[in-house]
């Protein structure tokens, strides 16, 4: 923001951003260890977190550290996890002992108690499972059809929930409003004020009687009470917002099979007896037993603490809730839910917290500490000056009477006078120490996170909101993010012949069609449901649904096709090899291995091909080129190309069941069946979103597993790529990039715009290279293998619809609609968070500087301060809680996208902010000090009694000061724009707070004079107050025309100190070298 042109309402646009090594610190790099109040945006070491806490000046720890990570609680959580993991290990040890010495015990057939089922699953009791007839027997007892699942009607769901429990766990209740009240009043300064008020109240009542003596102490009590209530309400409101967001994060939606169809339900609606399909990247939602498993492997580290992958099949059938599918796919039968699972016990024990400090929060704690030290110093000086003047007889009452005369003034009166002076000093500390400054971040983050939900973005980590405002590049997937992920097969080649239309089965021989349908029906994780009346329902990934739809149109009966063969072994889709395979047994001795995958990869593995008549033809070089030409033609019109192939095997070549788990399906010597091209249209609005990113200085790069030609066509359509003839490395394949050295990768990474045929590891390498070049990198991903890149990136963006649970857990933000336009909205919100904090800082520091200077100058010159304790508490309320509510909840504007990304180490207070702040503070200080010293004559109060004239003058100063802050609140809305009223009517909260503040100010001055030591002002003085305050608007416009240097002021000071240190070192060196 510093480099904005001061003579324009909008800063200059630039797509080039200076390299920021610190903001792009790669994994393993430290970011400025010398600065205590700087932490990494992700995975900050515990020592760094402890260090800034110890360095912070804090007067109310419960409030200041409320939304930071509770390090002690984190240790307790880890201890709970260890205990539960130990419990799991004990169970397993007991089970091994049992297997060694126990014989199978006869059970009562047909009876299965709830406790017995839970115990069997939790103890992994294989003998009990066998006793009940294995998974088929358990399913029969639970009245579950293993193919079609439970019926799914409401009555059955309720019955199962009542019988076996719900898939929920008791959550710790959020803190009540009373708890927030309790925490708010623990502020050390407020406690001191209350003690002082209590003493003042007692002395006042004793000396002046209860009718008049309670006003001084009582008014302070009341003001402190208002501050506490408003603060507690603001904090309670934020807490509720975080609770709602946590609910959203926990509410995972998953597929279940009910009534023969796959439907999506909330994890909380899962019941015992449900059949759940599992695939790589899924989270196991409850305890259960394997029904079918194809290369199914689980990552149980979340429960056992062991990182090794455990394979699951009929011999090892028990699945634990909370574990993740590391490989393969299969179906499970749910046998225990909620608190009947170890995962439920664990989640109930540790319960999710909101604690997580963000880099901006920590930096604001540093700023608050610095301002607090200044405030304490000033308050201490003021107190000393006031005490010296008071006890030396230089402080007088409004009527001219000396307040303290040695030997004459009573002890009570002296103590009462000293307490009044002490409360003024303490109140200066209240105003000067901005305890609410770090909480302003939490407020704007809570507001932003809630609003981002409506923009289809669920924030998992608070720091991601801030970091997104600094993003300099976005590495985006193609499928589903830039495109609609609604695939349709629009071109098909069987043999050398183009099938037009692609579903015209009459052009294909029965033998080829039969082989193709075998591959389509068995080599898939999807399914086809035929309702009795209605349209056929397809399930699976968009690619699988497109293939299944094509198969159905070719005449495939899904269930019938699957029943004609049995699956022997499965090779799940692998993003490295770009293919998926299955071995199926057709007859007693006939076995076919079917493959599908990236077209050019599959063609390269084929030694022959079937023509439309079913005759096998050799794959001669000219034929390979013909097939490649078909692929290139389809890719050039942005079609996604896939091929189908198979290989016949003899049953003797298949390993027996014991060794089949390690068997690798043969990938070569294949026979090509078909090549298809799938159309996946670009999303509407994606071109505009990419253009907006470019304008904002954020480079969009496409990283996709698709063919480079397909990627290029889509990139041109989306506006990511401008040049049709773009050379390498602007267009590059993943395998080319991965073969280069680190230095070469770093050099070309910034030039890369489209990376095709990339593996997840290629994406990770690109992210690392870009970060080493100083970029702040955002990455989108949806697959399990994307997890390392999502974790490595500064901001990981997982897809909410197609994303696996593993990808989502590794991400910082979940894009709920998988749309790139939503990613751009996240960028806007990220910049808005930073901009809103800067608005609040500018507003608060203006009040701080003005209030401190006015009180200090007045104290030194006259021994009195124009703003008393109650008035200062009201000012504190305006600038702290109410100011934060008004300014930290400004919605993002398009103007934010006219700026370059925010450097992560950019100063919080920019040169533009310093200019705005000093202009307003100088104006307020000048006007109010003139009023303080010459107010009686200016306001024509000389003919009044001295007491009334002083009260009227001080009331006018107080009123003008508050109105200046109200008008300056508008100026703070637009730090670098001339029109501060743009969009103001759309922010109802801002208008409401400004209106409320104004009404309360009128009430305080006109009706609460006894409490605030004010007198009523006539309409002329009100008009003068408003006129003085309203000048701040044109003054702000003039101030913004003053040019400021682009180099931050802090750098000038650091350079001066560095130069002075260098001179001192040089002088010391010379003196040490001088002859003695």
């Amino acid at each position: 923001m510093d480099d904005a042109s001061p003579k324009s309402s909008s800063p200059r646009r630039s797509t080039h951003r200076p390299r920021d090594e610190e903001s792009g610190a790669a994994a393993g790099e430290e970011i400025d260890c010398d600065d205590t109040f700087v932490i990494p945006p992700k995975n900050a070491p515990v020592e760094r977190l402890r260090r800034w806490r110890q360095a912070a000046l804090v007067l109310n720890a419960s409030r200041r550290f409320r939304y930071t990570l509770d390090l002690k609680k984190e240790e307790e959580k880890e201890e709970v996890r260890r205990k539960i993991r130990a419990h799991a290990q004990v169970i397993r040890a007991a089970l091994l002992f049992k297997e060694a010495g126990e014989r199978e015990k006869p059970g009562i057939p047909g009876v299965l108690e709830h406790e017995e089922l839970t115990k069997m699953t939790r103890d992994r009791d294989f003998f009990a499972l066998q006793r009940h007839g294995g998974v088929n027997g358990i399913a029969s007892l639970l009245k579950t059809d293993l193919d079609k699942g439970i019926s799914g009607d409401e009555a059955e769901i309720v019955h199962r929930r009542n019988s076996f429990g719900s898939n929920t766990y008791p959550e710790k209740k959020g803190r009540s409003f009373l708890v927030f009240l309790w925490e708010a009043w623990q502020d050390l300064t407020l406690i001191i004020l209350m003690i002082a008020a209590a003493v003042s109240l007692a002395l006042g009542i004793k000396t002046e009687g209860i009718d008049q003596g309670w006003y001084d102490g009582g008014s302070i009590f009341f003001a402190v009470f208002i501050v506490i209530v408003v603060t507690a309400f603001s904090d309670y409101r934020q807490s509720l917002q975080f609770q709602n967001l946590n609910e959203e994060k926990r509410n995972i939606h998953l597929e279940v099979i009910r009534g023969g169809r796959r439907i999506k339900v909330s994890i909380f609606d899962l019941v015992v007896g449900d059949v759940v399909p599992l695939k790589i990247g899924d989270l196991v939602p409850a305890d259960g037993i394997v029904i079918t498993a194809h290369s199914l492997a689980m990552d149980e580290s979340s429960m056992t603490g062991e990182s090794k992958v455990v394979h699951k099949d009929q011999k090892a059938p028990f699945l634990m809730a909370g574990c993740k599918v590391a490989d393969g796919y299969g179906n499970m039968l749910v046998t225990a839910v909620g608190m009947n699972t170890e995962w439920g016990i664990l989640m109930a024990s540790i319960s999710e917290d909101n604690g997580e400090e963000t880099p901006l929060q920590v930096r604001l704690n540093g700023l608050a500490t610095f301002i607090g030290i200044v405030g304490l110093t000033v308050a201490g000086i003021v107190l000393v000056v006031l005490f010296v003047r008071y006890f030396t007889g230089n402080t007088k009452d409004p009527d001219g009477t000396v307040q303290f005369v040695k030997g004459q003034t009573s002890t009570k009166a002296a103590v009462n006078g000293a307490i009044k002076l002490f409360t003024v000093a303490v109140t200066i500390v209240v105003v000067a120490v901005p305890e609410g400054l770090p909480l302003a971040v939490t407020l704007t983050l809570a507001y932003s996170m809630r609003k981002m939900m409506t923009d289809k973005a669920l924030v998992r980590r608070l720091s991601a909101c801030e970091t997104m405002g600094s993003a300099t590049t976005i590495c985006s997937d193609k499928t589903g993010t830039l495109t609609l992920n609604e695939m349709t097969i629009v071109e098909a080649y069987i043999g050398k012949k183009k099938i037009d239309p692609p579903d015209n089965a009459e052009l294909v021989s029965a033998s080829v069609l039969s082989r193709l349908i075998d591959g389509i029906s068995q080599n898939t994780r999807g399914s086809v449901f035929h309702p009795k009346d209605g349209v056929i329902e397809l399930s699976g990934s968009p690619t699988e649904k497109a293939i299944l739809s094509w198969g159905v149109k070719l005449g495939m009966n899904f269930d019938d096709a699957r029943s004609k063969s049995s699956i022997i072994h499965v090779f799940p889709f692998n993003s490295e090899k770009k293919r998926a395979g299955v071995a199926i047994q057709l007859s007693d001795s006939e076995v076919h291995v079917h493959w599908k995958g990236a077209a050019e990869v599959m063609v390269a593995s084929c030694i022959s091909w079937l023509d439309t008549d079913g005759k096998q033809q050799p794959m001669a070089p000219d034929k390979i080129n013909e097939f490649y030409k078909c692929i290139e033609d389809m890719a050039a019109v942005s079609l996604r190309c896939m091929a189908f192939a198979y290989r016949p095997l003899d049953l003797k070549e298949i390993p027996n069941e014991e060794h089949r788990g390690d068997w690798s399906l043969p990938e070569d010597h294949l026979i090509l069946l078909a090549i298809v091209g799938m159309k996946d249209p670009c999303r509407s609005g994606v071109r505009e979103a990419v253009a907006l990113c470019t304008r904002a200085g954020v480079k969009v790069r496409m990283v996709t597993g698709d063919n480079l030609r397909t990627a290029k066509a889509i990139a041109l359509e989306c506006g990511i790529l401008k040049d049709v003839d773009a050379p390498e490395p602007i267009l590059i394949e993943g395998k080319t990039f991965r073969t280069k050295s680190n230095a070469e990768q770093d050099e070309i990474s910034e030039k890369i715009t489209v990376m095709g045929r990339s593996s997840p590891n290629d994406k990770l390498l690109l992210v690392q290279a870009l970060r080493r070049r100083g970029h702040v990198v955002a990455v989108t991903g949806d697959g399990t293998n994307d997890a390392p890149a999502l974790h490595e990136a500064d901001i990981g963006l997982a897809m909410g619809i197609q994303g696996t649970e593993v990808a989502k857990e590794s991400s910082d933000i979940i894009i709920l609609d998988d749309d790139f336009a939503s990613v751009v909205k996240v960028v806007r919100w990220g910049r808005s968070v930073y901009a809103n904090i800067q608005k609040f800082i500018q507003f608060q520091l203006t009040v701080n500087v003005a209030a401190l200077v006015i009180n200090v100058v007045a104290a030194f010159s006259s021994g009195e301060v124009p703003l008393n304790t109650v008035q200062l508490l009201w000012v504190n309320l305006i600038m702290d809680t109410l100011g934060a509510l008004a300014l930290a909840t400004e919605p993002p504007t398009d103007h934010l996208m006219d700026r370059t990304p925010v450097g992560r180490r950019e100063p919080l207070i920019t040169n533009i902010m310093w200019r705005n702040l000093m202009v307003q503070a100088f104006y307020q200080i000048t006007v109010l000090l003139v009023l303080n010293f010459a107010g009686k004559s200016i306001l024509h109060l000389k003919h009044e009694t001295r007491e009334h004239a002083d009260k009227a003058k001080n009331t006018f100063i107080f009123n003008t000061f508050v109105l200046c802050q109200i008008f300056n609140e508008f100026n703070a809305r637009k730090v670098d724009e001339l029109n501060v009223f743009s969009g103001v009517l759309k922010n109802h909260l801002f208008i409401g707070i400004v209106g409320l503040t104004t009404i309360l100010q009128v009430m305080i001055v006109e009706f609460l004079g006894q409490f605030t030591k004010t007198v009523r002002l006539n309409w002329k003085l009100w008009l003068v107050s408003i006129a003085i305050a309203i000048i701040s608007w044109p003054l702000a416009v003039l101030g913004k025309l003053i040019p400021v240097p682009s180099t931050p002021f802090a750098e000038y000071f650091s350079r001066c100190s560095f130069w002075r240190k260098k001179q001192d070192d040089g002088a010391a060196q010379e003196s040490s070298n001088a002859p003695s």
Side-chain angles (χ1 to χ4, degrees):
M1 205 180 285
D2 294 357
D3 56 0
S5 170
K7 295 184 181 181
S8 167
S9 63
S10 123
R12 67 171 180 260
R13 295 177 188 170
S14 171
T15 55
H16 172 72
R17 183 176 175 275
R19 184 170 164 183
D20 182 2
E21 293 289 357
E22 289 171 309
S23 71
E29 288 183 53
E30 247 340 302
I31 54 168
D32 195 5
C33 288
D34 296 332
D35 193 339
T36 306
F37 293 100
V38 173
I39 63 167
K42 290 170 84 168
N43 310 314
V46 175
E47 306 79 57
R48 293 290 292 272
L49 301 181
R50 283 205 178 96
R51 201 168 101 189
W52 80 257
R53 283 165 171 75
Q54 291 162 358
L57 170 72
V58 180
L59 300 177
N60 182 3
S62 62
R63 184 163 189 247
R64 179 79 80 86
F65 295 144
R66 176 174 302 127
Y67 294 109
T68 58
L69 194 66
D70 190 325
L71 299 178
K72 190 176 179 183
K73 265 190 186 177
E74 282 301 299
E75 289 173 4
E76 290 171 2
K77 279 185 187 180
E78 197 49 48
E79 186 59 35
V80 170
R81 285 193 185 99
R82 275 197 293 270
K83 284 179 182 176
I84 291 179
R85 283 169 181 166
H87 175 56
Q89 299 285 7
V90 169
I91 288 171
R92 271 189 290 283
L95 182 59
L96 290 171
F97 180 75
K98 203 177 191 181
E99 286 176 354
E102 189 184 65
R103 291 181 182 178
E104 189 176 343
K105 295 178 182 177
I108 305 169
V111 176
L112 185 64
E113 296 294 333
H114 173 207
E115 291 78 10
E116 186 183 358
L117 180 62
T118 301
K119 186 175 184 301
M120 178 190 75
T121 310
R122 193 181 291 173
D123 294 354
R124 302 188 181 191
D125 192 339
F126 191 72
F127 288 115
L129 177 62
Q130 293 298 101
R131 190 165 62 244
H132 287 293
V135 68
N136 289 304
I138 297 292
S140 176
L141 294 171
L142 290 174
K143 296 182 173 57
T144 296
D145 185 314
L146 291 180
D147 293 321
K148 296 183 179 179
I150 61 175
S151 67
D153 62 75
E154 191 60 35
E156 183 182 9
I157 300 294
V158 171
H159 173 70
R160 288 175 182 273
R161 195 174 288 133
N162 292 337
S163 301
F164 298 102
S166 63
N167 199 28
T168 55
Y169 49 87
E171 297 172 36
K172 292 178 182 176
K173 288 185 178 178
R175 288 179 293 185
S176 68
F177 179 65
L178 293 176
V179 174
F180 284 96
L181 275 178
W182 171 259
E183 288 184 350
W185 88 269
Q186 289 183 55
D187 190 317
L188 180 61
T189 51
L190 295 182
I191 291 171
I192 293 170
L193 280 178
M194 285 188 281
I195 293 169
V199 175
S200 177
L201 187 66
L203 290 171
I205 291 171
K206 196 165 186 179
T207 54
E208 300 178 40
I210 192 140
D211 290 339
Q212 297 294 321
W214 71 276
Y215 281 122
D216 282 353
S219 59
I220 295 173
F221 263 124
F222 181 71
V224 169
F225 174 74
I226 294 295
V227 169
I228 288 171
V229 169
V230 174
T231 302
F233 176 75
S234 172
D235 294 343
Y236 177 61
R237 189 166 161 271
Q238 286 180 58
S239 176
L240 291 178
Q241 289 182 356
F242 280 120
Q243 282 180 36
N244 294 335
L245 287 164
N246 282 338
E247 280 296 321
E248 286 292 335
K249 280 191 261 184
R250 284 192 290 262
N251 189 14
I252 298 166
H253 283 79
L254 64 145
E255 275 191 342
V256 298
I257 300 173
R258 288 180 180 173
R261 69 174 67 181
R262 293 193 185 192
I263 59 170
K264 285 219 166 191
V265 300
S266 165
I267 192 171
F268 303 131
D269 295 332
L270 205 66
V271 292
V272 169
D274 261 324
V275 174
V276 181
L278 296 173
K279 62 182 183 301
I280 185 169
D282 281 351
L283 183 79
V284 179
D287 283 0
I289 306 168
V290 168
I291 301 170
T292 58
H294 302 295
S295 305
L296 189 64
M298 308 302 299
D299 174 8
E300 297 184 345
S301 58
S302 58
M303 291 304 300
T304 65
E306 299 171 5
S307 57
K308 68 178 183 181
V309 170
V310 181
H311 290 274
K312 296 291 176 180
D313 51 29
Q314 301 301 334
K315 294 178 182 176
F318 293 105
L319 300 172
M320 281 196 296
C323 299
K324 300 179 189 75
V325 182
D327 199 8
Y329 61 92
N331 287 354
M332 71 172 275
L333 175 68
V334 175
T335 55
V337 293
M339 290 302 291
N340 296 317
T341 68
E342 286 181 9
W343 181 251
I345 296 167
L346 174 66
M347 295 307 289
S349 304
I350 64 176
S351 124
E352 192 162 354
D353 232 338
N354 295 324
E356 177 212 344
E357 55 259 54
T358 70
L360 192 52
Q361 215 174 3
V362 176
R363 287 178 71 192
L364 282 173
N365 265 290
L367 183 62
T369 296
F370 173 73
I371 297 170
I373 290 169
V374 173
L376 280 170
T377 306
V378 169
I381 294 168
V382 168
L383 185 63
V384 170
V385 170
L386 291 177
F387 272 1
V388 168
R389 291 185 64 94
Y390 179 76
F391 288 110
T392 55
N394 288 310
T395 305
K396 298 178 181 179
D397 283 327
D399 59 2
T401 309
V402 176
Q403 289 185 2
F404 180 85
V405 179
K406 192 175 181 181
Q408 297 180 19
T409 305
S410 66
T411 306
K412 287 178 186 176
V415 170
N416 200 20
I419 286 172
K420 285 180 181 177
L421 299 178
F422 181 71
T423 56
V424 169
V426 172
T427 311
I428 288 173
V429 174
V430 173
V431 175
V433 181
E435 287 291 295
L437 195 54
L439 279 177
V441 182
T442 316
L443 181 66
T444 191
L445 286 173
Y447 168 78
S448 300
M449 287 167 73
R450 182 166 55 86
K451 290 291 185 182
M452 283 165 78
M453 278 293 292
T454 62
D455 280 343
K456 304 298 180 185
L458 171 62
V459 178
R460 295 188 71 253
R461 291 190 180 90
L462 280 176
S463 57
C465 283
E466 297 169 10
T467 313
M468 203 64 193
S470 303
T472 59
T473 186
I474 300 171
C475 297
S476 175
D477 280 341
K478 176 187 75 69
T479 307
T481 309
L482 298 168
T483 62
L484 285 169
N485 215 4
E486 294 174 0
M487 299 198 194
T488 314
I489 291 178
V490 293
E491 281 193 36
Y493 290 86
I494 296 178
K496 289 191 300 178
K497 189 175 180 180
K498 182 177 181 180
I499 308 300
D500 192 14
D503 53 10
N504 188 350
E506 294 176 3
L507 300 176
V508 187
S509 71
S511 60
V512 175
L513 200 57
S514 173
R515 296 281 178 271
L516 199 53
I517 286 173
D518 284 342
I520 291 171
S521 62
Q522 294 287 28
N523 193 11
T524 181
R525 292 200 307 261
S527 66
V528 179
F529 176 71
H530 294 266
K532 290 177 181 177
D533 50 349
V535 182
I536 290 173
E537 294 176 16
L538 305 169
S539 67
S541 69
T543 305
E544 286 177 326
K545 286 197 279 190
I547 294 168
L548 289 172
S549 174
W550 183 53
V552 169
K553 289 172 183 175
L554 287 171
M556 176 184 73
N557 184 313
F558 184 75
D559 294 329
D560 183 55
R562 286 175 75 94
S563 67
K564 288 178 181 176
S565 59
S566 57
I567 295 175
I568 297 173
H569 192 57
V570 168
F571 179 86
F573 179 78
N574 184 302
S575 52
E576 293 284 345
K577 293 191 174 182
K578 308 290 182 193
R579 61 170 75 193
V582 62
I584 60 172
Q585 186 170 351
L586 295 164
S587 61
D588 291 341
S589 59
E590 193 178 7
V591 174
H592 284 176
V593 176
H594 279 274
W595 288 97
K596 68 178 179 186
E600 68 271 27
V601 175
M602 297 301 299
V603 169
S605 301
C606 293
I607 58 166
S608 58
W609 53 281
L610 289 184
D611 62 21
T612 49
D613 296 325
K615 293 177 182 175
Q616 189 170 327
Q617 305 289 346
M619 187 68 81
D622 60 323
K623 297 299 178 191
I624 292 178
N625 292 334
E626 282 183 34
F627 285 124
Y628 280 150
K629 179 71 168 58
C630 294
I631 294 166
E632 288 176 5
D633 290 344
M634 286 193 285
V637 289
S638 70
L639 297 188
R640 192 177 185 201
C641 303
M642 287 192 72
F644 300 85
Y646 83 106
R647 174 178 168 177
L649 289 179
D650 194 279
L651 192 60
K652 294 174 184 176
E653 298 178 61
I654 312 299
N656 58 35
E657 281 195 38
E658 288 183 13
H659 300 96
R660 204 170 286 167
D662 300 324
W663 180 43
S664 296
L665 294 180
E667 301 175 12
D668 52 5
H669 293 83
L670 306 182
I671 303 166
L672 184 66
L673 286 170
I675 300 173
V676 296
M678 286 179 277
K679 182 69 177 172
D680 185 13
C682 277
R683 289 182 179 272
S684 61
V686 75
R687 192 177 183 88
E688 292 77 10
V690 170
L692 188 61
C693 278
T694 305
R695 193 179 89 195
V698 182
K699 169 85 171 174
V700 181
R701 306 169 203 270
M702 181 196 289
V703 185
T704 177
D706 274 356
N707 182 301
L708 191 58
R709 280 179 171 268
T710 306
K712 176 184 173 181
I714 294 289
L716 286 166
E717 197 176 336
C718 294
I720 293 173
L721 195 64
K722 306 295 182 188
D723 184 5
V724 180
D725 302 315
E728 192 178 296
I730 295 172
L731 286 166
I732 194 169
E733 281 203 341
K735 63 182 179 183
T736 307
F737 182 72
R738 82 178 76 113
T739 55
K740 295 185 181 294
S741 66
N742 279 359
E744 289 173 322
Q745 287 175 355
D746 290 357
E747 188 180 342
I748 67 169
S749 62
E750 290 187 318
K751 299 173 185 175
I752 293 172
T753 302
V754 177
M755 184 185 284
R757 282 289 175 243
S758 69
S759 68
N761 192 54
D762 298 331
K763 186 187 281 189
L764 176 62
L765 291 173
L766 178 61
V767 169
Q768 290 171 337
L770 287 168
R771 294 190 74 213
R772 286 195 295 266
R773 296 290 291 178
H775 282 279
V776 179
V777 186
V779 167
T780 70
D782 53 15
T784 304
N785 293 333
D786 286 328
L790 291 168
H791 187 267
E792 176 73 17
D794 295 283
I795 314 105
L797 302 159
M799 298 298 109
I801 298 171
Q802 290 302 318
T804 63
E805 287 307 315
V806 171
K808 290 174 187 175
E809 282 199 7
S810 298
S811 70
D812 305 298
I813 297 173
I814 299 172
I815 305 300
L816 299 174
D817 61 355
D818 292 13
D819 192 345
F820 184 78
S822 298
V823 176
V824 179
K825 288 175 185 173
V826 172
V827 175
R828 274 163 50 103
W829 277 110
R831 294 186 177 194
S832 176
V833 167
Y834 198 85
N836 285 351
I837 295 302
Q838 288 187 315
K839 293 170 189 177
F840 178 61
I841 291 172
Q842 180 181 299
F843 173 71
Q844 188 170 56
L845 289 187
T846 305
V847 186
N848 270 343
V849 170
L852 285 175
V853 172
I854 291 162
N855 278 316
V856 168
V857 173
F860 272 94
S861 58
S862 63
E864 293 180 352
V865 288
L867 301 175
N868 62 39
T869 301
V870 177
Q871 291 168 359
L872 281 172
L873 284 173
W874 169 234
V875 169
N876 180 64
L877 198 61
I878 292 171
M879 77 168 189
D880 197 338
T881 308
L882 295 178
L885 277 171
L887 293 169
T889 55
E890 278 277 328
T893 62
D894 289 335
H895 175 70
L896 292 169
M897 301 301 280
D898 289 333
R899 304 172 182 172
T900 52
V902 179
R904 212 190 274 141
R905 299 302 312 282
E906 204 168 283
L908 282 172
I909 309 173
T910 64
N911 292 0
I912 289 175
M913 290 168 66
W914 277 120
R915 177 196 63 197
N916 298 345
L917 186 159
M918 297 313 294
V919 166
Q920 294 294 330
F922 181 76
Y923 170 68
Q924 290 179 22
I925 291 165
T926 304
V927 169
L928 297 179
L929 285 179
V930 167
L931 288 170
N932 187 58
F933 296 114
K936 290 180 187 176
S937 59
I938 293 171
L939 301 174
H940 306 296
L941 297 172
K942 287 195 171 181
H943 60 281
E944 304 281 349
T945 63
R946 178 172 176 177
E947 184 177 1
H948 182 268
D950 280 345
K951 274 192 173 183
K953 179 198 74 174
N954 288 342
T955 300
F956 183 80
I957 290 172
F958 165 61
N959 194 48
T960 304
F961 184 64
V962 170
L963 290 178
C964 279
Q965 309 324 316
I966 293 171
F967 281 87
N968 192 37
E969 215 157 354
F970 286 87
N971 293 329
R973 287 185 67 246
K974 305 289 180 183
V975 174
D976 58 351
E977 293 180 64
L978 296 177
N979 183 7
V980 297
F981 304 106
S982 172
V984 70
L985 295 177
K986 293 178 183 176
N987 190 344
H988 300 139
L989 186 61
F990 180 87
I991 294 295
I993 287 172
V994 168
L996 178 67
T997 308
T998 306
I999 291 167
L1000 290 174
Q1001 178 63 18
V1002 172
M1003 289 176 65
I1004 286 168
V1005 171
E1006 296 297 315
F1007 305 108
L1008 299 175
Q1010 285 282 69
F1011 293 98
T1012 56
K1013 298 292 183 289
T1014 56
V1015 294
R1016 290 187 173 186
L1017 299 177
N1018 59 45
W1019 65 272
K1020 291 179 182 177
L1021 290 180
W1022 269 103
L1023 285 178
V1024 174
S1025 275
I1026 293 169
I1028 292 170
I1030 210 168
I1031 289 172
S1032 67
W1033 285 348
L1035 193 65
V1037 173
L1038 292 172
K1040 286 170 185 174
L1041 299 177
I1042 301 170
V1044 291
S1046 57
T1047 306
F1049 291 141
E1051 280 192 31
Y1052 289 114
F1053 293 119
S1054 62
R1055 284 175 191 172
C1056 291
S1057 59
F1058 174 76
W1059 180 249
R1060 198 178 301 114
K1061 185 176 183 297
K1062 199 172 179 183
Q1063 285 183 320
D1064 292 344
D1065 291 345
Q1069 185 70 29
E1070 283 179 20
S1071 62
S1072 65
N1073 292 337
S1076 55

